[in-house]
Amino acid sequence: MRYLIGNWKANKTLVEVGVWLDQFTQMLSENLRLKEALAKGLFTIVILPPAVFLVNVASRLRGIVGVQTGAQTISEKPPGAYTGEITGAMLAGIASMTLVGHSERREMFGETDDECAEQVARAREAGIEPVLCIRGEHDKISPGAEFIAYEPIESIGTGNNMPANDVVAKMRSLSLPPKCVFIYGGSVTESTASDYLRYPEIGGLLVGGASLKPESFLSIARVFVSESERS
Ligand code: PGA
């Protein structure tokens, strides 16, 4: 099973979310090949909207086989007096996955390896799959993280995606947990997605900019379909 994860980051208004969902569900319903691949479990699509839209997105996507909703981050705190935090207990039943330690959170909001480890634990307690994002070997892999997204900082939002063979070489040099799902993220587009998916070691793609429009996102989903048909 592979994963196509779309991270909207801090983009979109309520109205724009509605338009995205209308277009996405319409385009998906017209694409039999894609629907079949999702129904067969060849891959899963996970949409990560801003937290304020999670319920909205999850309820619109519920019932679409192979399409899930996830969170961009999760609090390392338990429920309690932590104004503004979004806990695992709140996300349970809405988000199937959550990112942990995205480089933007580490660099702009000072999230540390220890906080990431707490977040992984909170996600697990809530039955949510944590996807730990690392920028390289200097980011510690938290115990219990089984999905690791490698996102080299120079590739995020720059258009300079890291070549697939370099990603795989990097993957081999990291001490990853056994049986982990290794995901690449950083300026992936429809035209580069197949380079990564040719490598069986790459278990998925984390897509930012190209997930903001349903057509570019679903073009990448179509690459997942053709790659699964080739193998
Ligand atoms: P990008 O973002 O695809 O826009 O480079 C990827 C990410 O930050 O998850």
Side-chain angles (χ1 to χ4, degrees):
M1 164 75 77
R2 279 177 147 164
Y3 295 83
L4 169 58
I5 306 174
N7 176 14
W8 291 355
K9 309 190 179 185
N11 289 296
K12 298 198 183 298
T13 62
L14 183 59
V15 170
E16 288 165 350
V17 170
V19 172
W20 194 98
L21 288 166
D22 288 346
Q23 292 176 345
F24 177 82
T25 48
Q26 173 74 25
M27 289 163 89
L28 193 58
S29 71
E30 287 164 359
N31 192 325
L32 275 186
R33 241 173 102 215
L34 185 49
K35 273 202 323 198
E36 241 174 65
L38 289 165
K40 280 195 205 147
L42 297 180
F43 73 108
T44 296
I45 291 177
V46 190
I47 315 291
L48 313 181
V52 70
F53 303 129
L54 267 168
V55 172
N56 192 329
V57 172
S59 60
R60 280 290 300 275
L61 298 179
R62 190 154 291 144
I64 305 182
V65 182
V67 181
Q68 301 176 5
T69 307
Q72 298 177 10
T73 186
I74 180 171
S75 178
E76 67 270 19
K77 303 287 189 212
Y82 305 105
T83 302
E85 288 297 275
I86 296 175
T87 65
M90 295 174 196
L91 293 172
I94 302 169
S96 60
M97 275 190 169
T98 182
L99 297 185
V100 169
H102 188 283
S103 61
E104 287 153 13
R105 302 229 39 99
R106 292 179 190 264
E107 306 216 342
M108 293 179 222
F109 304 100
E111 283 187 8
T112 63
D113 284 335
D114 287 349
E115 283 163 348
C116 290
E118 284 291 323
Q119 291 182 24
V120 166
R122 296 290 172 208
R124 284 256 168 269
E125 276 165 26
I128 296 165
E129 186 65 55
V131 179
L132 180 71
C133 303
I134 57 168
R135 296 163 293 182
E137 48 283 284
H138 53 286
D139 288 333
K140 224 162 65 208
I141 298 197
S142 317
E146 288 169 7
F147 281 64
I148 307 292
Y150 170 54
E151 297 207 303
I153 202 92
E154 60 282 4
S155 295
I156 297 184
T158 58
N160 296 323
N161 61 302
M162 182 183 253
N165 53 334
D166 292 349
V167 170
V168 171
K170 186 69 182 187
M171 174 191 168
R172 297 200 174 117
S173 76
L174 294 165
S175 338
L176 297 171
K179 287 198 312 192
C180 93
V181 178
F182 181 82
I183 291 167
Y184 168 74
S187 296
V188 174
T189 61
E190 173 196 359
S191 49
T192 54
S194 66
D195 299 352
Y196 300 100
L197 298 177
R198 296 244 155 96
Y199 288 92
E201 298 93 322
I202 298 186
L205 298 172
L206 177 49
V207 178
S211 72
L212 293 174
K213 292 212 166 80
E215 52 275 33
S216 50
F217 190 55
L218 284 175
S219 301
I220 300 177
R222 278 194 286 274
V223 178
F224 274 71
V225 178
S226 19
E227 285 304 318
S228 65
E229 284 168 353
R230 259 167 38 95
S231 55

mmCIF file of all heavy atoms in Angstrom, residues 9-55:
data_model
loop_
_atom_site.group_PDB
_atom_site.id
_atom_site.type_symbol
_atom_site.label_atom_id
_atom_site.label_comp_id
_atom_site.label_asym_id
_atom_site.label_seq_id
_atom_site.Cartn_x
_atom_site.Cartn_y
_atom_site.Cartn_z
ATOM 1 N N LYS A 9 -1.176 22.953 4.127
ATOM 2 C CA LYS A 9 -0.519 23.952 4.986
ATOM 3 C C LYS A 9 -1.545 25.019 5.413
ATOM 4 O O LYS A 9 -2.722 24.703 5.531
ATOM 5 C CB LYS A 9 0.701 24.547 4.273
ATOM 6 C CG LYS A 9 1.630 23.435 3.734
ATOM 7 C CD LYS A 9 2.942 23.944 3.239
ATOM 8 C CE LYS A 9 3.787 22.758 2.766
ATOM 9 N NZ LYS A 9 5.122 23.146 2.380
ATOM 10 N N ALA A 10 -1.119 26.262 5.609
ATOM 11 C CA ALA A 10 -2.067 27.302 6.063
ATOM 12 C C ALA A 10 -2.659 28.025 4.856
ATOM 13 O O ALA A 10 -2.480 29.232 4.682
ATOM 14 C CB ALA A 10 -1.356 28.267 7.007
ATOM 15 N N ASN A 11 -3.336 27.249 4.012
ATOM 16 C CA ASN A 11 -3.961 27.819 2.820
ATOM 17 C C ASN A 11 -5.444 27.486 2.820
ATOM 18 O O ASN A 11 -5.864 26.525 3.429
ATOM 19 C CB ASN A 11 -3.326 27.217 1.560
ATOM 20 C CG ASN A 11 -1.911 27.710 1.337
ATOM 21 O OD1 ASN A 11 -1.703 28.901 1.108
ATOM 22 N ND2 ASN A 11 -0.941 26.825 1.440
ATOM 23 N N LYS A 12 -6.202 28.276 2.125
ATOM 24 C CA LYS A 12 -7.629 28.109 1.832
ATOM 25 C C LYS A 12 -8.540 28.714 2.903
ATOM 26 O O LYS A 12 -8.245 28.689 4.092
ATOM 27 C CB LYS A 12 -8.022 26.628 1.633
ATOM 28 C CG LYS A 12 -7.310 25.995 0.446
ATOM 29 C CD LYS A 12 -8.000 24.735 -0.004
ATOM 30 C CE LYS A 12 -7.219 24.096 -1.129
ATOM 31 N NZ LYS A 12 -7.158 24.987 -2.307
ATOM 32 N N THR A 13 -9.655 29.243 2.355
ATOM 33 C CA THR A 13 -10.738 29.750 3.196
ATOM 34 C C THR A 13 -11.854 28.714 3.173
ATOM 35 O O THR A 13 -11.802 27.765 2.382
ATOM 36 C CB THR A 13 -11.287 31.056 2.607
ATOM 37 O OG1 THR A 13 -11.812 30.742 1.297
ATOM 38 C CG2 THR A 13 -10.212 32.125 2.480
ATOM 39 N N LEU A 14 -12.860 28.936 3.992
ATOM 40 C CA LEU A 14 -13.991 27.998 4.023
ATOM 41 C C LEU A 14 -14.604 27.825 2.630
ATOM 42 O O LEU A 14 -14.905 26.711 2.202
ATOM 43 C CB LEU A 14 -15.035 28.519 5.024
ATOM 44 C CG LEU A 14 -16.260 27.648 5.243
ATOM 45 C CD1 LEU A 14 -15.881 26.256 5.741
ATOM 46 C CD2 LEU A 14 -17.213 28.309 6.240
ATOM 47 N N VAL A 15 -14.756 28.944 1.922
ATOM 48 C CA VAL A 15 -15.363 28.887 0.589
ATOM 49 C C VAL A 15 -14.458 28.102 -0.365
ATOM 50 O O VAL A 15 -14.910 27.234 -1.119
ATOM 51 C CB VAL A 15 -15.618 30.323 0.057
ATOM 52 C CG1 VAL A 15 -16.022 30.312 -1.405
ATOM 53 C CG2 VAL A 15 -16.677 31.009 0.907
ATOM 54 N N GLU A 16 -13.167 28.352 -0.284
ATOM 55 C CA GLU A 16 -12.221 27.644 -1.169
ATOM 56 C C GLU A 16 -12.178 26.139 -0.869
ATOM 57 O O GLU A 16 -12.002 25.327 -1.781
ATOM 58 C CB GLU A 16 -10.812 28.244 -1.030
ATOM 59 C CG GLU A 16 -10.714 29.616 -1.666
ATOM 60 C CD GLU A 16 -9.476 30.414 -1.247
ATOM 61 O OE1 GLU A 16 -8.755 30.000 -0.300
ATOM 62 O OE2 GLU A 16 -9.251 31.476 -1.851
ATOM 63 N N VAL A 17 -12.353 25.796 0.386
ATOM 64 C CA VAL A 17 -12.378 24.374 0.751
ATOM 65 C C VAL A 17 -13.581 23.703 0.087
ATOM 66 O O VAL A 17 -13.473 22.609 -0.479
ATOM 67 C CB VAL A 17 -12.416 24.194 2.285
ATOM 68 C CG1 VAL A 17 -12.683 22.747 2.672
ATOM 69 C CG2 VAL A 17 -11.103 24.660 2.909
ATOM 70 N N GLY A 18 -14.715 24.391 0.122
ATOM 71 C CA GLY A 18 -15.932 23.856 -0.502
ATOM 72 C C GLY A 18 -15.735 23.640 -2.003
ATOM 73 O O GLY A 18 -16.121 22.595 -2.544
ATOM 74 N N VAL A 19 -15.105 24.598 -2.662
ATOM 75 C CA VAL A 19 -14.869 24.494 -4.103
ATOM 76 C C VAL A 19 -13.930 23.316 -4.384
ATOM 77 O O VAL A 19 -14.160 22.500 -5.278
ATOM 78 C CB VAL A 19 -14.271 25.816 -4.662
ATOM 79 C CG1 VAL A 19 -13.832 25.665 -6.102
ATOM 80 C CG2 VAL A 19 -15.276 26.959 -4.506
ATOM 81 N N TRP A 20 -12.871 23.203 -3.590
ATOM 82 C CA TRP A 20 -11.902 22.098 -3.768
ATOM 83 C C TRP A 20 -12.624 20.753 -3.650
ATOM 84 O O TRP A 20 -12.440 19.866 -4.480
ATOM 85 C CB TRP A 20 -10.791 22.202 -2.722
ATOM 86 C CG TRP A 20 -9.577 21.343 -2.983
ATOM 87 C CD1 TRP A 20 -8.416 21.735 -3.552
ATOM 88 C CD2 TRP A 20 -9.433 19.943 -2.662
ATOM 89 N NE1 TRP A 20 -7.533 20.652 -3.614
ATOM 90 C CE2 TRP A 20 -8.135 19.558 -3.093
ATOM 91 C CE3 TRP A 20 -10.260 18.985 -2.090
ATOM 92 C CZ2 TRP A 20 -7.653 18.255 -2.945
ATOM 93 C CZ3 TRP A 20 -9.787 17.683 -1.956
ATOM 94 C CH2 TRP A 20 -8.498 17.331 -2.377
ATOM 95 N N LEU A 21 -13.461 20.642 -2.601
ATOM 96 C CA LEU A 21 -14.146 19.370 -2.365
ATOM 97 C C LEU A 21 -15.122 19.052 -3.494
ATOM 98 O O LEU A 21 -15.213 17.906 -3.939
ATOM 99 C CB LEU A 21 -14.874 19.409 -1.010
ATOM 100 C CG LEU A 21 -13.956 19.362 0.218
ATOM 101 C CD1 LEU A 21 -14.727 19.741 1.480
ATOM 102 C CD2 LEU A 21 -13.328 17.974 0.385
ATOM 103 N N ASP A 22 -15.842 20.069 -3.964
ATOM 104 C CA ASP A 22 -16.785 19.846 -5.076
ATOM 105 C C ASP A 22 -16.032 19.331 -6.301
ATOM 106 O O ASP A 22 -16.428 18.355 -6.927
ATOM 107 C CB ASP A 22 -17.495 21.156 -5.477
ATOM 108 C CG ASP A 22 -18.508 21.600 -4.433
ATOM 109 O OD1 ASP A 22 -18.850 20.790 -3.547
ATOM 110 O OD2 ASP A 22 -18.938 22.774 -4.495
ATOM 111 N N GLN A 23 -14.934 20.005 -6.623
ATOM 112 C CA GLN A 23 -14.186 19.626 -7.828
ATOM 113 C C GLN A 23 -13.538 18.252 -7.654
ATOM 114 O O GLN A 23 -13.584 17.413 -8.546
ATOM 115 C CB GLN A 23 -13.093 20.666 -8.127
ATOM 116 C CG GLN A 23 -13.678 21.998 -8.555
ATOM 117 C CD GLN A 23 -12.592 23.061 -8.756
ATOM 118 O OE1 GLN A 23 -11.448 22.902 -8.332
ATOM 119 N NE2 GLN A 23 -12.967 24.152 -9.396
ATOM 120 N N PHE A 24 -12.955 18.030 -6.495
ATOM 121 C CA PHE A 24 -12.252 16.768 -6.241
ATOM 122 C C PHE A 24 -13.221 15.589 -6.332
ATOM 123 O O PHE A 24 -12.953 14.597 -7.014
ATOM 124 C CB PHE A 24 -11.602 16.831 -4.855
ATOM 125 C CG PHE A 24 -10.894 15.574 -4.422
ATOM 126 C CD1 PHE A 24 -9.601 15.310 -4.861
ATOM 127 C CD2 PHE A 24 -11.509 14.670 -3.556
ATOM 128 C CE1 PHE A 24 -8.940 14.156 -4.455
ATOM 129 C CE2 PHE A 24 -10.854 13.520 -3.148
ATOM 130 C CZ PHE A 24 -9.566 13.256 -3.596
ATOM 131 N N THR A 25 -14.370 15.711 -5.648
ATOM 132 C CA THR A 25 -15.303 14.574 -5.622
ATOM 133 C C THR A 25 -15.891 14.344 -7.026
ATOM 134 O O THR A 25 -16.065 13.208 -7.452
ATOM 135 C CB THR A 25 -16.428 14.770 -4.580
ATOM 136 O OG1 THR A 25 -16.978 16.078 -4.743
ATOM 137 C CG2 THR A 25 -15.901 14.640 -3.169
ATOM 138 N N GLN A 26 -16.136 15.425 -7.738
ATOM 139 C CA GLN A 26 -16.660 15.306 -9.100
ATOM 140 C C GLN A 26 -15.631 14.612 -10.013
ATOM 141 O O GLN A 26 -15.953 13.652 -10.719
ATOM 142 C CB GLN A 26 -16.969 16.729 -9.627
ATOM 143 C CG GLN A 26 -17.374 16.816 -11.076
ATOM 144 C CD GLN A 26 -18.795 16.313 -11.286
ATOM 145 O OE1 GLN A 26 -19.602 16.346 -10.343
ATOM 146 N NE2 GLN A 26 -19.083 15.824 -12.474
ATOM 147 N N MET A 27 -14.398 15.073 -9.963
ATOM 148 C CA MET A 27 -13.354 14.504 -10.832
ATOM 149 C C MET A 27 -13.088 13.049 -10.478
ATOM 150 O O MET A 27 -12.879 12.225 -11.366
ATOM 151 C CB MET A 27 -12.055 15.322 -10.707
ATOM 152 C CG MET A 27 -12.167 16.687 -11.349
ATOM 153 S SD MET A 27 -10.865 17.799 -10.786
ATOM 154 C CE MET A 27 -9.635 17.463 -11.958
ATOM 155 N N LEU A 28 -13.129 12.747 -9.214
ATOM 156 C CA LEU A 28 -12.893 11.364 -8.781
ATOM 157 C C LEU A 28 -14.031 10.466 -9.256
ATOM 158 O O LEU A 28 -13.801 9.358 -9.743
ATOM 159 C CB LEU A 28 -12.783 11.344 -7.250
ATOM 160 C CG LEU A 28 -12.249 10.086 -6.604
ATOM 161 C CD1 LEU A 28 -10.855 9.763 -7.133
ATOM 162 C CD2 LEU A 28 -12.165 10.280 -5.081
ATOM 163 N N SER A 29 -15.267 10.970 -9.156
ATOM 164 C CA SER A 29 -16.401 10.117 -9.533
ATOM 165 C C SER A 29 -16.394 9.829 -11.033
ATOM 166 O O SER A 29 -16.949 8.846 -11.488
ATOM 167 C CB SER A 29 -17.725 10.760 -9.112
ATOM 168 O OG SER A 29 -17.977 11.874 -9.940
ATOM 169 N N GLU A 30 -15.716 10.677 -11.805
ATOM 170 C CA GLU A 30 -15.671 10.462 -13.262
ATOM 171 C C GLU A 30 -14.481 9.608 -13.678
ATOM 172 O O GLU A 30 -14.352 9.278 -14.850
ATOM 173 C CB GLU A 30 -15.573 11.828 -13.971
ATOM 174 C CG GLU A 30 -16.877 12.591 -13.933
ATOM 175 C CD GLU A 30 -16.705 14.065 -14.280
ATOM 176 O OE1 GLU A 30 -15.558 14.507 -14.537
ATOM 177 O OE2 GLU A 30 -17.726 14.763 -14.294
ATOM 178 N N ASN A 31 -13.603 9.281 -12.760
ATOM 179 C CA ASN A 31 -12.393 8.543 -13.136
ATOM 180 C C ASN A 31 -12.445 7.104 -12.602
ATOM 181 O O ASN A 31 -12.019 6.819 -11.491
ATOM 182 C CB ASN A 31 -11.154 9.276 -12.610
ATOM 183 C CG ASN A 31 -9.886 8.722 -13.218
ATOM 184 O OD1 ASN A 31 -9.785 7.528 -13.465
ATOM 185 N ND2 ASN A 31 -8.921 9.581 -13.470
ATOM 186 N N LEU A 32 -12.970 6.213 -13.457
ATOM 187 C CA LEU A 32 -13.191 4.826 -13.027
ATOM 188 C C LEU A 32 -11.901 4.110 -12.635
ATOM 189 O O LEU A 32 -11.872 3.392 -11.633
ATOM 190 C CB LEU A 32 -13.849 4.046 -14.172
ATOM 191 C CG LEU A 32 -15.367 4.157 -14.231
ATOM 192 C CD1 LEU A 32 -15.935 3.248 -15.297
ATOM 193 C CD2 LEU A 32 -15.970 3.818 -12.850
ATOM 194 N N ARG A 33 -10.856 4.348 -13.427
ATOM 195 C CA ARG A 33 -9.574 3.676 -13.171
ATOM 196 C C ARG A 33 -9.034 4.047 -11.790
ATOM 197 O O ARG A 33 -8.560 3.208 -11.039
ATOM 198 C CB ARG A 33 -8.554 4.130 -14.218
ATOM 199 C CG ARG A 33 -8.023 2.999 -15.065
ATOM 200 C CD ARG A 33 -7.158 3.566 -16.161
ATOM 201 N NE ARG A 33 -5.745 3.421 -15.879
ATOM 202 C CZ ARG A 33 -4.807 4.296 -16.218
ATOM 203 N NH1 ARG A 33 -5.133 5.422 -16.819
ATOM 204 N NH2 ARG A 33 -3.549 4.054 -15.960
ATOM 205 N N LEU A 34 -9.141 5.313 -11.506
ATOM 206 C CA LEU A 34 -8.657 5.821 -10.226
ATOM 207 C C LEU A 34 -9.497 5.268 -9.071
ATOM 208 O O LEU A 34 -8.965 4.799 -8.057
ATOM 209 C CB LEU A 34 -8.704 7.350 -10.277
ATOM 210 C CG LEU A 34 -8.148 8.169 -9.134
ATOM 211 C CD1 LEU A 34 -6.762 7.713 -8.745
ATOM 212 C CD2 LEU A 34 -8.100 9.646 -9.538
ATOM 213 N N LYS A 35 -10.811 5.295 -9.273
ATOM 214 C CA LYS A 35 -11.700 4.781 -8.224
ATOM 215 C C LYS A 35 -11.432 3.308 -7.948
ATOM 216 O O LYS A 35 -11.425 2.860 -6.809
ATOM 217 C CB LYS A 35 -13.166 4.967 -8.651
ATOM 218 C CG LYS A 35 -13.692 6.316 -8.271
ATOM 219 C CD LYS A 35 -15.205 6.398 -8.180
ATOM 220 C CE LYS A 35 -15.957 5.609 -9.203
ATOM 221 N NZ LYS A 35 -17.345 6.012 -9.381
ATOM 222 N N GLU A 36 -11.206 2.559 -9.036
ATOM 223 C CA GLU A 36 -10.947 1.125 -8.902
ATOM 224 C C GLU A 36 -9.637 0.873 -8.157
ATOM 225 O O GLU A 36 -9.566 0.005 -7.298
ATOM 226 C CB GLU A 36 -10.812 0.522 -10.303
ATOM 227 C CG GLU A 36 -11.850 -0.537 -10.585
ATOM 228 C CD GLU A 36 -11.733 -0.966 -12.027
ATOM 229 O OE1 GLU A 36 -10.676 -1.543 -12.405
ATOM 230 O OE2 GLU A 36 -12.682 -0.670 -12.765
ATOM 231 N N ALA A 37 -8.608 1.651 -8.509
ATOM 232 C CA ALA A 37 -7.298 1.480 -7.851
ATOM 233 C C ALA A 37 -7.416 1.768 -6.357
ATOM 234 O O ALA A 37 -6.844 1.063 -5.526
ATOM 235 C CB ALA A 37 -6.268 2.397 -8.490
ATOM 236 N N LEU A 38 -8.205 2.779 -6.015
ATOM 237 C CA LEU A 38 -8.394 3.104 -4.596
ATOM 238 C C LEU A 38 -9.196 2.000 -3.909
ATOM 239 O O LEU A 38 -8.878 1.588 -2.794
ATOM 240 C CB LEU A 38 -9.103 4.454 -4.454
ATOM 241 C CG LEU A 38 -8.268 5.689 -4.819
ATOM 242 C CD1 LEU A 38 -9.151 6.916 -4.991
ATOM 243 C CD2 LEU A 38 -7.204 5.964 -3.753
ATOM 244 N N ALA A 39 -10.219 1.493 -4.595
ATOM 245 C CA ALA A 39 -11.053 0.444 -4.003
ATOM 246 C C ALA A 39 -10.249 -0.831 -3.805
ATOM 247 O O ALA A 39 -10.458 -1.562 -2.836
ATOM 248 C CB ALA A 39 -12.277 0.188 -4.887
ATOM 249 N N LYS A 40 -9.311 -1.089 -4.717
ATOM 250 C CA LYS A 40 -8.475 -2.301 -4.592
ATOM 251 C C LYS A 40 -7.397 -2.131 -3.531
ATOM 252 O O LYS A 40 -6.639 -3.050 -3.270
ATOM 253 C CB LYS A 40 -7.769 -2.572 -5.924
ATOM 254 C CG LYS A 40 -8.643 -3.243 -6.949
ATOM 255 C CD LYS A 40 -7.724 -3.779 -8.056
ATOM 256 C CE LYS A 40 -8.443 -3.909 -9.369
ATOM 257 N NZ LYS A 40 -7.579 -3.646 -10.542
ATOM 258 N N GLY A 41 -7.267 -0.941 -3.003
ATOM 259 C CA GLY A 41 -6.244 -0.709 -1.968
ATOM 260 C C GLY A 41 -4.850 -0.593 -2.552
ATOM 261 O O GLY A 41 -3.861 -0.844 -1.855
ATOM 262 N N LEU A 42 -4.733 -0.216 -3.837
ATOM 263 C CA LEU A 42 -3.396 -0.072 -4.427
ATOM 264 C C LEU A 42 -2.671 1.125 -3.817
ATOM 265 O O LEU A 42 -1.463 1.143 -3.703
ATOM 266 C CB LEU A 42 -3.487 0.087 -5.950
ATOM 267 C CG LEU A 42 -4.078 -1.116 -6.694
ATOM 268 C CD1 LEU A 42 -4.121 -0.870 -8.186
ATOM 269 C CD2 LEU A 42 -3.261 -2.371 -6.391
ATOM 270 N N PHE A 43 -3.428 2.113 -3.448
ATOM 271 C CA PHE A 43 -2.855 3.237 -2.703
ATOM 272 C C PHE A 43 -3.974 3.979 -1.983
ATOM 273 O O PHE A 43 -5.158 3.721 -2.220
ATOM 274 C CB PHE A 43 -2.032 4.167 -3.605
ATOM 275 C CG PHE A 43 -2.837 5.038 -4.537
ATOM 276 C CD1 PHE A 43 -2.946 6.401 -4.309
ATOM 277 C CD2 PHE A 43 -3.476 4.507 -5.644
ATOM 278 C CE1 PHE A 43 -3.678 7.221 -5.158
ATOM 279 C CE2 PHE A 43 -4.214 5.314 -6.510
ATOM 280 C CZ PHE A 43 -4.324 6.669 -6.266
ATOM 281 N N THR A 44 -3.571 4.853 -1.077
ATOM 282 C CA THR A 44 -4.535 5.624 -0.301
ATOM 283 C C THR A 44 -4.216 7.104 -0.471
ATOM 284 O O THR A 44 -3.042 7.475 -0.506
ATOM 285 C CB THR A 44 -4.414 5.248 1.200
ATOM 286 O OG1 THR A 44 -4.780 3.872 1.336
ATOM 287 C CG2 THR A 44 -5.320 6.085 2.082
ATOM 288 N N ILE A 45 -5.255 7.904 -0.581
ATOM 289 C CA ILE A 45 -5.076 9.359 -0.632
ATOM 290 C C ILE A 45 -5.412 9.902 0.755
ATOM 291 O O ILE A 45 -6.439 9.534 1.339
ATOM 292 C CB ILE A 45 -6.025 9.980 -1.683
ATOM 293 C CG1 ILE A 45 -5.591 9.572 -3.107
ATOM 294 C CG2 ILE A 45 -6.080 11.498 -1.550
ATOM 295 C CD1 ILE A 45 -6.509 10.076 -4.213
ATOM 296 N N VAL A 46 -4.559 10.772 1.260
ATOM 297 C CA VAL A 46 -4.848 11.410 2.557
ATOM 298 C C VAL A 46 -4.748 12.926 2.368
ATOM 299 O O VAL A 46 -3.722 13.437 1.914
ATOM 300 C CB VAL A 46 -3.856 10.964 3.660
ATOM 301 C CG1 VAL A 46 -4.340 11.446 5.033
ATOM 302 C CG2 VAL A 46 -3.672 9.453 3.671
ATOM 303 N N ILE A 47 -5.823 13.632 2.704
ATOM 304 C CA ILE A 47 -5.854 15.088 2.580
ATOM 305 C C ILE A 47 -5.628 15.700 3.967
ATOM 306 O O ILE A 47 -6.318 15.339 4.923
ATOM 307 C CB ILE A 47 -7.250 15.584 2.093
ATOM 308 C CG1 ILE A 47 -7.798 14.747 0.936
ATOM 309 C CG2 ILE A 47 -7.224 17.078 1.755
ATOM 310 C CD1 ILE A 47 -7.076 14.903 -0.342
ATOM 311 N N LEU A 48 -4.702 16.633 4.047
ATOM 312 C CA LEU A 48 -4.415 17.301 5.319
ATOM 313 C C LEU A 48 -4.827 18.768 5.225
ATOM 314 O O LEU A 48 -4.028 19.626 4.823
ATOM 315 C CB LEU A 48 -2.912 17.232 5.628
ATOM 316 C CG LEU A 48 -2.188 15.887 5.469
ATOM 317 C CD1 LEU A 48 -0.715 16.034 5.862
ATOM 318 C CD2 LEU A 48 -2.834 14.801 6.301
ATOM 319 N N PRO A 49 -6.055 19.082 5.586
ATOM 320 C CA PRO A 49 -6.483 20.488 5.558
ATOM 321 C C PRO A 49 -6.032 21.196 6.840
ATOM 322 O O PRO A 49 -5.636 20.540 7.802
ATOM 323 C CB PRO A 49 -8.010 20.372 5.528
ATOM 324 C CG PRO A 49 -8.317 19.067 6.168
ATOM 325 C CD PRO A 49 -7.115 18.169 6.028
ATOM 326 N N PRO A 50 -6.128 22.513 6.882
ATOM 327 C CA PRO A 50 -5.918 23.206 8.158
ATOM 328 C C PRO A 50 -6.921 22.661 9.184
ATOM 329 O O PRO A 50 -8.041 22.282 8.825
ATOM 330 C CB PRO A 50 -6.224 24.665 7.811
ATOM 331 C CG PRO A 50 -6.008 24.762 6.336
ATOM 332 C CD PRO A 50 -6.419 23.431 5.781
ATOM 333 N N ALA A 51 -6.532 22.648 10.456
ATOM 334 C CA ALA A 51 -7.334 21.988 11.489
ATOM 335 C C ALA A 51 -8.777 22.483 11.538
ATOM 336 O O ALA A 51 -9.707 21.708 11.772
ATOM 337 C CB ALA A 51 -6.676 22.194 12.850
ATOM 338 N N VAL A 52 -8.962 23.770 11.282
ATOM 339 C CA VAL A 52 -10.298 24.350 11.409
ATOM 340 C C VAL A 52 -11.272 23.759 10.369
ATOM 341 O O VAL A 52 -12.488 23.788 10.573
ATOM 342 C CB VAL A 52 -10.199 25.897 11.329
ATOM 343 C CG1 VAL A 52 -9.843 26.367 9.939
ATOM 344 C CG2 VAL A 52 -11.447 26.577 11.832
ATOM 345 N N PHE A 53 -10.726 23.180 9.307
ATOM 346 C CA PHE A 53 -11.588 22.593 8.262
ATOM 347 C C PHE A 53 -11.650 21.066 8.318
ATOM 348 O O PHE A 53 -12.260 20.443 7.446
ATOM 349 C CB PHE A 53 -11.093 23.015 6.871
ATOM 350 C CG PHE A 53 -11.024 24.510 6.676
ATOM 351 C CD1 PHE A 53 -9.867 25.099 6.189
ATOM 352 C CD2 PHE A 53 -12.105 25.323 6.992
ATOM 353 C CE1 PHE A 53 -9.781 26.485 6.011
ATOM 354 C CE2 PHE A 53 -12.029 26.707 6.822
ATOM 355 C CZ PHE A 53 -10.873 27.293 6.332
ATOM 356 N N LEU A 54 -11.002 20.483 9.320
ATOM 357 C CA LEU A 54 -10.919 19.017 9.357
ATOM 358 C C LEU A 54 -12.286 18.328 9.351
ATOM 359 O O LEU A 54 -12.508 17.383 8.591
ATOM 360 C CB LEU A 54 -10.154 18.575 10.614
ATOM 361 C CG LEU A 54 -8.656 18.364 10.466
ATOM 362 C CD1 LEU A 54 -8.006 18.223 11.829
ATOM 363 C CD2 LEU A 54 -8.382 17.122 9.629
ATOM 364 N N VAL A 55 -13.186 18.817 10.182
ATOM 365 C CA VAL A 55 -14.483 18.147 10.313
ATOM 366 C C VAL A 55 -15.240 18.237 8.992
ATOM 367 O O VAL A 55 -15.808 17.251 8.500
ATOM 368 C CB VAL A 55 -15.307 18.797 11.454
ATOM 369 C CG1 VAL A 55 -16.724 18.252 11.498
ATOM 370 C CG2 VAL A 55 -14.611 18.576 12.785
#
